[in-house]
Structure formats: structure tokens, C-alpha cells
Amino acid sequence: MTTGLIPGAQPPEPRPDSGLPSQARRSPDDGTAQHTDNRPRSSVITARAAASFEPVGRSVASARSFVRDTLQGWGFADIVDDAVVLTSELVTNAVVHAGTSADVLCLRTEVGVRIEVADRYPEREIPLQGAAVNMGSPDREGGRGLQLCAALAGRWGVEYTPTHKQVWFQLELPERAVGTRSAGPSLPAELLPIADGRIRVAVVQIDRSGAISAWNEDAEELFGYPADQVTGKPLTDLAAWPHTPGTGTGVAEALQLSRWEGSYGIRDAAGRVVPVYASHLRVRDTGGDPSTVCLLVRDHERAVLQTPLRVNTSDSGGSGEGKNTDPFEVFIGSPAPDDLDGLLQRTVERARDMLDADSAFLLLATDDETELEVRASTGLPSARQRFARVPVEAGPGRYGSARMPAVHDDLTAVPGAVPLLNGTGMRSVVTVPLKVEGRLTGSLGVAAEAPGRYSNEEALRLQFAADRIALAVESARLGELERLRRGSLSFLVEASDLLAGTLDRDQTLALMAQMTVPTLATWCAVYTIADQASEPYLSYVLHEDEELIDGIKSLLSKIAPPDPVPTPGARVWTAPAEVAHQAALRTSMRSLGRGEPATVSSGIGTTLATAGAVGGETVVLPLVARNRVIGMLTLGKPTDEHFRQEILELAEDLSRRAALALDNARLYSERTAISQSLQRSLLPPELPTIDGVEVEVIYRAAGEGNEVGGDFYDVFPISDGAYGFAIGDVCGTGPNAAAVTGLARHALRLLAREGLSGPAVLERLNSAILDEGARSRFLTLLYGELRPQPDGSAELKVVCAGHPLPLRLRQDGTVEAAAEPQPLLGVLEDLELYEQTVTLDPGDVLLCVTDGVTERREGTRMLGDDGLADVLTTCTGLTAGAVAARIMRAVERFASDAPSDDMAILAMRVPGLHNA
């Protein structure tokens, strides 16, 4: 790293134009695009600091330290945290993701600071004017720099040149009175802290070995030692530790922390213990050598140094015994984050800083303590590692377990000892357990790129910190689990209601996918198995981005489906990620002209998008119903992402409910298909064509899923020139009535074709119905024979056995009954029936209906025979089809409720001479 500091520098010269055409320099006006500085730089730059960082992981930590030290030196402590966060993200993008060196420039003005981060990546695509800018997802490790700039900076922008890309942001100081950092209310003199007339602040500097290297005059006055007498001696020789009861942090540990405040005692030259309040700040010189600066005042004068957030402001300075310093706040800082992720992230950052490490990580244990799940990291590709799981017992030797502290001088000598660090370049590492009441709850570790960085001393320091935060972490974790479980219960209740609300197989498959994406996974695929002898079939694919669905479906169709293992729980399936990676690699090589030309290609963009979509963790959950695997639910994450254990447990609960719903839908579909097939066999296949007579039938069966009920009809040829027709109504509806329907229709055809007369046919059908015994049902039936005549008329012989009378519509619009009522079938054994002859003249219509038409009700009103006749009088001149349609329409409009009885309408019309 190279740095340069130029106090009082003049404003920089304007940067030369990049030479790009105007359309390459964007000036978007929407909130999601990159901001550009349209305001002239009128502020006077009073100082400048610059540094360059090599493309290595350690450079990110160095850049943070550079910006923090620079801004604190300038007195900009109020904006240090925001500046460090933004710089860390932008330098990470440059040295980690882009793989180039990074130049950081800090410019000080009277109103704030401007920081510029430039990388040397000329191949990066220059955005064109009007193109949408995708600043990435806030849940991803990479690409958050621009989003953070938009959220934290007052102004920010991106500038491109032919050789580099620069991102800049400007942070302004908060508005406050000149010369103040914080302010409190005016107080009466009697309420002000008590202090001696002459306040003395001892300034003591401690080198990296813990020895005193500087001792000012106030220190000599407070403690009685001249500087030459204490210089080179350890501060621990003078400190009476601890002075504050309950403080567990030792003086050596306190000196190693980046910042510390608290009370202890210093033995003066006379041997007395002087209670002091101390503020420690760890710094480093230009050569990188760390030291600690200690500011000390008498304990009752602590108000001079005390930070309001650390100690209760009501604490009086008159007592020699001050308030206890909370060791948890010493490590985490105050106020502590109130959410688990924030607490864990703050923990790893403080652990990294405490041991001057390159990276740190924290893992939480599963309930059974068999696995550890990565929950926070810094200095590592955390997006790749987040929610990754490693076994608690791992690696060789007694230090292979996460249940006890472990120090590794060089991971290259013990590969696999810390699986999380494989391939990260880290060599030395120290890990310590987090335990609550003797139970393992997690593991905290820090690592460095150089070997031999840590010893048992660092392990003890880290264990000390872990012991202080373990209870807080476990409490926050339990709170998060409780929220997740409440949310999971609500999710499962809603999912169960949705799945129970349908018996359609395709809709069930769609619901399964839509409930998992994006709530549980980024994409999912459902495989179904028809029977034990069948292979799994890819039935449904869904991704949160609809444009990627076809690519994933094509990819999965080329991969052998996962094995239908009935073992409960999620199991990892690596095939999709591996095949997608290989396909993307081949496509990339072909695009570079280094592979075999492809005969069919969907383009590198589609292939790479698919590879990224399925490149993360993929798990398979069996769909088991009635002790049989009926399919698999496959859930996937995009590249570098893992599932957290709680999500997998929720997905397992959902898969059990979904499997039962899917199997119920399958059984319902099978039974419905069988029922509909049998019902269709009870209806006549088609109506015959009768010369000189129009015939039309409309049939409606009552009940959901019924195609045939108790009403039936038939028109069939008997002999040359003669046709039989029938319309009947079996008592009741549904399958039982349909059984008698089938008997009646087939018996009529058989008996009529034997040459029997109409009365004889019905008498023998009556006997057949009575022979059914308990299954018999009474039947109303209108049966007749039709013979077209040479003069254009039609002769009908009709028997009406208990059925609504047929109506005859003449050309003049009059309506009359065409038969007389006779006894119904299925009640009496001895029937004496007779037939009546009716002649239909050209233009006449014969309308036959079942009682579902005439008994149509709306409240106390009923359509009845008279209502039907009134409708029929309006049908003069209509065809048979139009007559039947008008009757059905009138019946449907008569009442708003769905029909509760089967209905059949049979219309026959003899065309007039002009229609023949």
C-alpha cells in the first residue's frame, strides 16, 4: 500500500473528459440510477489523503483503517462509520470481485469529505444512456456498494474513463454549533460534576509489548513518578486491577482493544492506589506499529472523559467507586444491535479488529449440536458461505472439534481442519466455542493470510470475548427462532387451506411451486411418479424470474431425475449445479472460439443466466403419501447461496402436506374419469338423421361432476322408415338413478326392435324394473314411434306413462297436449296401456320435457305446464334447435339458483313446405 497526505492542498484540477461519446456518459434522473455531480466543486479542499491497495483480501481491512485514521485525524468522527462502510464495499468490489488494485482518495472540505475509489478494470462494460441500472440485491455480498452509496451518502456518482472506473461519494457534517461535538442542556452550578480546581489529564502511551513509552507532566503530578522512572516498564506493574468490582477484563486485554473506557487504580509513588477513569484508544504509526494511548483522570472527575453512551449520565462523580463497565458493551459497543444478524455481524467485525485479523466468522449450532451453520463473516466471501453447514466434529486431532478452543498455525499443514476456510487463502486461524450452561451454541473464529499469527494467548482473549457474548447471542437466536416458528405456523396454516381447496392435480402442482417460490427458495421443480414401475417425470418448474423458467426446465430435462428415496428430510442434489456449470463453461469457450461449434445454441447469455440461477445449493424432499413415494419437491438457490436449517425444516413440513394433497387430487381425478366414462356410456352416442323431421335434444344433469342423472332420452331407428323416441325420468338423481336409466334405455331399444307395439314395450320394461327388487325405482316415461309421411307430415304413436304430457305447437301459435296421461312404470305389476296417434303437419312442433323443466321454482313460484306452454307459443316459425334453446333459456332465467333436478328437452319439428 502506498499513501500520501497533503495538508492544505489546493482543489484538484478538473478531470479530463474521458473522450467517450455523449451517450456513454449517463445522467439518469430516476432514483435507481447512478448519481452524477452536476454541481461545480466550489468547496475549498483543505486536505487530501491518498492510498493505493493491491488486489488481495487484506487490502480491504487496510483501506478501512486508512479511511478511519484519516477522518479521525481530520476531526470527522461523526461520519467515520458511514465512510468506512462505503469504502469497504467499494474496495471489496475492486480488489475482490474485479480483481484489480484500488486507489482511494480522501478530500476534506469545510462542510464534509469526499472519498473516491477507483479500480483499473477497462474491460468493464460502460453503461449506455437510458439503460436500466441494476444495483444488485441487498441480500447479496457483492454489488451492494452503489445501494449503500444511495442510502448513506449525501451525493454520489460513477465516472468512467478509458482506463478505470471511479465511484465517489460525499458525506456532509451534521449541522451543529461551531466547535461542538455533542451538547447537553444548561445546568445550574450545583448540578455540575465536582472536580478539583486544576484538572489534570494524564497521557500515557503504551507500546505493542505493553510497556510505557510516553508519560506527560500531568501523569507525574497525579502519580508521583517522573517519566524516566516509568518509561519502559509494563503498565501492569502500576495498575491495581481491577478497581471496579465485577470487571472481568484484565488490563492487558483492555490495552489490546481498539477502544476501551472504564475505571481501575494506579499505585502512586507512595504506594497508595489512585482511583482513575481511563479512556484507551489503540492507534498505529505510519510504519504500521500499533500502540495504545491512555487518557486518565481521577475517578471522581470522569465526566471529563466519559462517553455518555457508555455510562449512566446520572452517575455522580463524587464517589470513588464508579458504575460497573459492562464487558459485553466493551466488546460489542453501545448501543448493541437489537437484531440477531446485526449482533453477529458486529461481533465478527470486533473480533477481527481485536486480533488484527484478515477475516472473522461466526457459526451457530443446530438444536442437536451436530452441525454448525455460518451466520456471519467478514473478510470472506460471505454470500458463498452464508447458511453453509459444517459438522461439529471435523478434522484430525483433539483440536478438530468446535467444542473447545483451537489454534492452527498453518492450515496448509492440516487441510480440512476448518472447512469454512477452504480455498480462501487463510492460513492461521483461532476458533473458540460459544457455550451457554455447558451447551454448545456456536463457534467464533478469526483468521489471517499469514501463518503463525496466533497463539494460546490470542485464543484466551477471543474465548474471553466469546464467553461475554454467548448469552446475548443465544437470547437473540431464540428470539429469532420464535419469530420464525410463528411465521412458519402461519405459513403452514395458509398452505394447508390452499391445498385443501382444490382437487385438481395441475392446480395442486402449481400451488406447491407458488408457495415455495420465493418464500422458501429461488426456484423449484416438482417431479411426479405415476406408479412404482414409472420413472419420475418433471411436471412443474417455477423461478421467481419468469424469464429463467424455460432455461431451467430445459436443463433439468437433460439430467437424470433424483432417486425417489422415501427417507424423510432434505438431501443435497449437486447434479443441476454441476451440469449448468459445465454447460456455461462450454458455451463460454465456444464464444471465445476455443471449443467445438455448436449446432444448436441458445446463446451465452441464456446459458450463463441458467447456470447462475441453479448454481447454489439444491435440495430434494420426497413427496410421500400412503406409504408410497409419489414424487419429489426440488428447491434451489442461485450461485453461492445455501438454505438455512429452519427453512429446510419448514419445507419438509410443507412437502408432507403437499404430498397428501397431490395424492388426493390424483385419486379424485382417477375416480372422476371412471365415473364420467361410465356415465357417458348411458347416453345415446348420437342422434339419427330423420328425413323430413328436425330433432334437437338438450340435457342437463344435476349435481357437480354428473353427466347423467335420473332423466334420460333416446332417439333410434326401429325399422325402415320408423324411428323410436323416448324421454323419461327415474325417481331421484345421481348414480343410483342413472343405473335405472341405463336399464330403461337399453331395454327400450331391444324391445322396440323386436317389433313389439308401444304398450307392449312399456309393459315388459315395467316387469324388468320390478325385477330389480330393492334397487327398483318408479319411472315416468314418454315413448313413441315416428314415421315420416309422403305428404310431408309425420305420424306419431305415443304412450305417456305418468310423464308430463307432450305439447304440440301448431303454425298458428296454438299449443295443446298431444297425449293423455297413463300409469307410471315400476309401481304396479299389471298395467293396461294404450297408444295414441298424433299427426304433425308441416310447421308443427312436438315438445317433450321432464319434470325438472316444469317444476323449476323461484320461491313460491313454479314454471308449471302453463308457463311452459306460454313460452312455447313464442316459438312459432323457429327450428327445433331454436325451440329447445329458447325453452332452456326461459327455464334458467326463471330462477337465480342452480337447478336442483335433472332436465331433458326433446323437440321434434316437421319443416314447412318452404323449408323442406
Side-chain angles (χ1 to χ4, degrees):
M1 178 186 76
T2 60
T3 63
L5 183 63
I6 312 171
Q10 294 301 316
E13 294 297 329
R15 297 183 180 274
D17 194 288
S18 64
L20 295 175
S22 60
Q23 65 268 23
R25 295 190 297 272
R26 304 181 63 249
S27 296
D29 55 3
D30 58 279
T32 62
Q34 299 161 327
H35 293 219
T36 56
D37 192 0
N38 298 322
R39 183 183 63 182
R41 299 180 187 174
S42 58
S43 300
V44 176
I45 296 176
T46 58
R48 174 191 296 180
S52 297
F53 301 93
E54 296 300 318
V56 295
R58 184 176 175 82
S59 294
V60 180
S62 301
R64 285 195 297 264
S65 299
F66 165 71
V67 172
R68 183 180 297 277
D69 294 345
T70 300
L71 268 60
Q72 284 180 339
W74 289 347
F76 288 171
D78 290 329
I79 58 175
V80 163
D81 290 338
D82 287 349
V84 169
V85 168
L86 294 177
T87 303
S88 179
E89 285 294 331
L90 299 178
V91 173
T92 298
N93 289 341
V95 303
V96 176
H97 300 299
T100 75
S101 61
D103 299 329
V104 180
L105 174 63
C106 301
L107 302 175
R108 184 182 69 184
T109 69
E110 68 274 12
V111 296
V113 64
R114 173 185 171 111
I115 296 179
E116 302 175 356
V117 178
D119 64 49
R120 305 181 184 279
Y121 196 29
E123 293 85 359
R124 182 176 295 278
E125 179 182 353
I126 305 295
L128 298 179
Q129 182 179 8
V133 176
N134 182 6
M135 295 194 296
S137 167
D139 298 326
R140 301 292 298 272
E141 174 68 10
R144 297 184 302 181
L146 300 185
Q147 287 187 327
L148 288 174
C149 286
L152 300 179
R155 298 177 63 81
W156 66 281
V158 182
E159 297 176 0
Y160 290 91
T161 74
T163 59
H164 74 278
K165 173 177 68 67
Q166 172 186 284
V167 182
W168 63 269
F169 61 88
Q170 183 171 314
L171 299 173
E172 297 181 357
L173 292 175
E175 294 183 2
R176 60 190 180 186
V178 176
T180 64
R181 289 179 52 80
S182 63
S186 299
L187 294 175
E190 60 271 14
L191 297 181
L192 296 176
I194 299 175
D196 293 344
R198 168 78 162 84
I199 301 295
R200 298 188 181 274
V201 179
V203 180
V204 181
Q205 190 163 5
I206 312 299
D207 62 21
R208 68 185 311 163
S209 65
I212 298 173
S213 60
W215 184 271
N216 74 341
E217 293 180 359
D218 280 355
E220 293 183 11
E221 292 292 332
L222 283 175
F223 309 121
Y225 298 105
D228 57 356
Q229 187 176 346
V230 295
T231 301
K233 291 185 177 181
L235 181 64
T236 52
D237 291 351
L238 304 180
W241 191 277
H243 176 69
T244 303
T247 301
T249 304
V251 66
E253 287 81 357
L255 292 173
Q256 295 297 318
L257 297 174
S258 61
R259 185 181 291 275
W260 188 89
E261 283 187 24
S263 300
Y264 53 90
I266 297 291
R267 293 184 182 89
D268 64 10
R272 296 187 301 270
V273 175
V274 179
V276 298
Y277 188 84
S279 175
H280 297 176
L281 176 65
R282 192 163 173 80
V283 298
R284 60 187 175 89
D285 59 22
T286 55
D289 194 30
S291 62
T292 302
V293 177
C294 305
L295 304 180
L296 303 99
V297 297
R298 295 181 180 90
D299 192 68
H300 65 274
E301 297 172 341
R302 64 170 58 193
V304 175
L305 300 179
Q306 189 175 47
T307 301
L309 290 176
R310 297 291 176 88
V311 184
N312 193 333
T313 55
S314 64
D315 182 24
S316 173
S319 172
E321 297 291 329
K323 294 287 184 180
N324 292 351
T325 301
D326 186 354
F328 173 75
E329 286 193 358
V330 169
F331 183 74
I332 293 298
S334 178
D338 56 1
D339 63 296
L340 178 61
D341 288 338
L343 177 61
L344 299 182
Q345 193 61 36
R346 178 82 64 84
T347 298
V348 296
E349 291 173 356
R350 294 299 171 89
R352 177 200 61 199
D353 295 342
M354 184 178 73
L355 296 186
D356 194 22
D358 296 316
S359 63
F361 51 89
L362 193 149
L363 304 88
L364 295 183
T366 55
D367 291 339
D368 58 4
E369 298 183 26
T370 60
E371 287 187 314
L372 294 167
E373 189 176 65
V374 179
R375 292 300 301 270
S377 66
T378 182
L380 296 174
S382 57
R384 174 171 64 87
Q385 304 291 355
R386 186 166 168 81
F387 299 122
R389 291 173 295 280
V390 296
V392 169
E393 310 292 341
R398 66 185 295 269
Y399 293 112
S401 171
R403 300 182 187 277
M404 59 197 320
V407 178
H408 294 282
D409 292 331
D410 194 348
L411 289 178
T412 59
V414 280
V418 185
L420 179 65
L421 300 180
N422 291 344
T424 62
M426 301 296 159
R427 297 185 63 180
S428 53
V429 62
V430 54
T431 61
V432 297
L434 276 68
K435 292 186 176 181
V436 175
E437 297 180 351
R439 182 173 61 86
L440 179 70
T441 60
S443 177
L444 175 64
V446 297
E449 294 178 349
R453 285 281 299 276
Y454 306 114
S455 63
N456 288 338
E457 181 180 353
E458 282 79 13
L460 291 176
R461 291 178 57 201
L462 190 63
Q463 185 67 70
F464 175 84
D467 292 343
R468 295 302 181 271
I469 67 169
L471 186 59
V473 169
E474 180 66 4
S475 176
R477 186 183 74 90
L478 293 177
E480 180 191 66
L481 286 177
E482 180 62 24
R483 290 190 296 271
L484 284 173
R485 285 168 181 162
R486 286 198 300 266
S488 299
L489 181 60
S490 175
F491 173 79
L492 290 174
V493 169
E494 183 179 357
S496 299
D497 288 343
L498 290 173
L499 291 170
T502 178
L503 287 173
D504 181 83
R505 176 182 176 276
D506 293 338
Q507 189 173 1
T508 302
L509 289 172
L511 283 175
M512 289 171 58
Q514 292 165 5
M515 285 186 292
T516 57
V517 176
T519 305
L520 306 181
T522 306
W523 66 272
C524 86
V526 183
Y527 290 86
T528 55
I529 303 174
D531 52 63
Q532 295 181 352
S534 301
E535 291 292 327
Y537 174 74
L538 182 61
S539 299
Y540 202 93
V541 175
L542 183 65
H543 190 281
E544 61 183 9
D545 184 353
E546 294 182 357
E547 295 182 356
L548 297 176
I549 294 177
D550 291 339
I552 297 176
K553 188 181 299 183
S554 175
L555 175 70
L556 295 178
S557 64
K558 301 173 184 176
I559 304 174
D563 296 330
V565 178
T567 306
R571 53 193 172 92
V572 176
W573 186 31
T574 60
E578 293 173 353
V579 173
H581 175 74
Q582 293 298 326
L585 182 60
R586 289 193 300 269
T587 303
S588 299
M589 293 183 66
R590 284 196 298 268
S591 68
L592 297 174
R594 300 180 60 184
E596 294 295 330
T599 56
V600 178
S601 174
S602 58
I604 185 172
T606 302
T607 304
L608 294 179
T610 302
V614 302
E617 188 175 44
T618 301
V619 297
V620 178
L621 298 106
L623 299 174
V624 181
R626 298 176 176 88
N627 299 321
R628 186 175 73 86
V629 180
I630 64 171
M632 285 89 70
L633 177 62
T634 303
L635 306 179
K637 287 281 190 179
T639 299
D640 298 339
E641 292 194 18
H642 296 263
F643 288 96
R644 60 186 303 176
Q645 188 62 34
E646 293 83 4
I647 294 298
L648 294 179
E649 293 172 359
L650 180 58
E652 186 177 355
D653 286 340
L654 176 64
S655 68
R656 287 195 291 267
R657 290 165 170 77
L660 188 59
L662 183 61
D663 200 47
N664 288 339
R666 177 187 62 84
L667 294 175
Y668 178 79
S669 297
E670 291 178 356
R671 283 159 174 72
T672 299
I674 294 173
S675 173
Q676 291 176 347
S677 177
L678 291 175
Q679 291 185 59
R680 283 192 293 269
S681 69
L682 301 178
L683 296 175
E686 60 183 7
L687 297 177
T689 300
I690 304 176
D691 293 336
V693 178
E694 299 174 0
V695 180
E696 184 63 32
V697 173
I698 296 179
Y699 185 85
R700 298 285 189 274
E704 184 180 359
N706 291 330
E707 294 191 21
V708 177
D711 291 7
F712 68 95
Y713 68 92
D714 200 0
V715 179
F716 55 92
I718 299 176
S719 59
D720 292 341
Y723 295 87
F725 66 92
I727 183 170
D729 184 2
V730 178
C731 176
T733 60
N736 292 330
V740 178
T741 295
L743 169 66
R745 193 178 70 80
H746 290 94
L748 280 175
R749 286 197 173 206
L750 179 63
L751 296 173
R753 288 171 178 171
E754 290 294 323
L756 299 176
S757 64
V761 169
L762 267 60
E763 289 169 2
R764 296 194 181 190
L765 175 59
N766 181 63
S767 299
I769 294 174
L770 292 176
D771 288 343
E772 291 292 308
R775 295 183 300 177
S776 65
R777 291 169 176 261
F778 63 81
L779 167 67
T780 67
L781 180 64
L782 172 66
Y783 173 74
E785 294 181 2
L786 173 90
R787 294 178 182 272
Q789 300 298 311
D791 60 358
S793 63
E795 182 183 85
L796 286 75
K797 295 182 178 180
V798 182
V799 179
C800 186
H803 198 77
L805 299 179
L807 299 179
R808 176 181 180 181
L809 172 64
R810 296 183 180 274
Q811 282 188 314
D812 59 4
T814 59
V815 175
E816 61 185 6
E820 296 176 355
Q822 300 185 57
L824 51 78
L825 307 181
V827 178
L828 304 175
E829 293 185 359
D830 297 326
L831 286 180
E832 294 184 0
L833 302 175
Y834 58 91
E835 63 183 9
Q836 297 175 275
T837 301
V838 178
T839 300
L840 294 181
D841 296 325
D844 289 354
V845 175
L846 184 71
L847 177 66
C848 311
V849 300
T850 58
D851 60 5
V853 174
T854 55
E855 294 179 3
R856 177 72 164 149
R857 294 180 179 274
E858 173 70 14
T860 59
R861 299 186 306 118
M862 187 173 70
L863 180 63
D865 295 336
D866 293 340
L868 178 63
D870 292 340
V871 176
L872 185 59
T873 57
T874 66
C875 297
T876 303
L878 299 181
T879 63
V883 171
R886 178 169 292 186
I887 297 298
M888 178 55 71
R889 190 161 52 250
V891 171
E892 291 174 343
R893 292 177 177 176
F894 187 80
S896 58
D897 296 337
S900 59
D901 196 5
D902 305 326
M903 293 187 294
I905 300 174
L906 171 61
M908 294 183 290
R909 176 176 181 271
V910 178
L913 296 179
H914 60 281
N915 299 123

